[in-house]
Amino acid sequence: MSQAYLKSPMGVLEIVADDKNILAVNFVKTSKQEKNNALTKQCVVQLKEYFAGRRKIFDLPIKLSGTVWQQAVYLVLSKVPYASIISYADLATMVANSGAARAVGGAVNKNPLTIIIPCHRVLGSKGQLVGYAGGLWRKKRLLELEQAFDLS
C-alpha cells in the first residue's frame, strides 16, 4: 500500500493506492510518512492541476469500495460534470430510486475518493450546503473554485 499527502488550499489530502488503483483520497489533519508509488504521484499532479483550475476530469485508475448500493451511487456521482450541482433527490433518481435521497446521502457521506468522485457537487433539495464529510466550508470552497474556473 502506498500513500502520499498533498497540502491543498483546503487542507491536507491523503492519497492511498495499491499498485493498480487509487483507493482513497480524504482530508486528514496531518500528513504522515509517505510511501509513494507512480499512482500516488500521478494523483498528486492531477489534484494540483484541479486546484489550479487546469483539470476538470480526473484520469486515474480507481477502485471503488463499499456496498453494491454505494458503488452504484459513486458511479452515477462520478458523471456529474465539473462546476455542476445536483440535489440528493436528483442523485437518487439517477441511481433509479427516487425515494432514496436519505440512502444516497448515507452513501455519499462514505465516499472514499473525495474530489475525484465529486460528492461536493451534491446539495440539499433547496440548494443548501449539507452533508460533506470534509466539512461544509470545504464543500463551499470547492464549489466556488469550480465556478471560478468554469469557462463553459
Side-chain angles (χ1 to χ4, degrees):
M1 207 64 63
S2 298
Q3 64 204 41
Y5 295 89
L6 171 65
K7 290 182 182 173
S8 81
M10 280 131 216
V12 178
L13 283 164
E14 178 183 55
I15 300 136
V16 179
D18 61 19
D19 292 336
K20 297 180 182 180
N21 296 291
I22 301 294
L23 305 174
V25 176
N26 289 298
F27 287 102
V28 294
K29 292 185 182 191
T30 60
S31 56
K32 299 176 185 170
Q33 185 168 349
E34 293 188 326
K35 183 181 177 192
N36 280 307
N37 69 9
L39 281 178
T40 59
K41 290 176 184 177
Q42 183 182 6
C43 187
V44 165
V45 167
Q46 289 192 22
L47 284 165
K48 284 180 179 179
E49 291 169 349
Y50 168 83
F51 285 113
R54 295 190 313 269
R55 176 168 296 275
K56 297 181 180 178
I57 298 171
F58 291 93
D59 182 22
L60 297 162
I62 61 171
K63 182 176 180 185
L64 296 175
S65 61
T67 66
V68 172
W69 167 254
Q70 289 167 334
Q71 290 182 38
V73 171
Y74 303 150
L75 283 173
V76 172
L77 185 54
S78 69
K79 295 176 178 133
V80 176
Y82 183 88
S84 297
I85 54 172
I86 62 170
S87 71
Y88 288 96
D90 293 337
L91 184 56
T93 299
M94 294 164 72
V95 177
N97 192 340
S98 60
R102 283 184 187 248
V104 163
V108 169
N109 187 51
K110 291 178 176 47
N111 175 14
L113 291 159
T114 195
I115 301 174
I116 293 172
I117 303 291
C119 52
H120 60 279
R121 297 179 189 154
V122 185
L123 301 179
S125 59
K126 295 181 175 126
Q128 72 275 31
L129 292 177
V130 293
Y132 189 64
L136 291 181
W137 70 272
R138 283 191 179 110
K139 184 173 194 166
K140 181 179 183 205
R141 292 210 29 220
L142 288 166
L143 292 170
E144 290 169 350
L145 177 131
E146 291 184 7
Q147 292 295 320
F149 288 118
D150 185 37
L151 302 175
S152 57

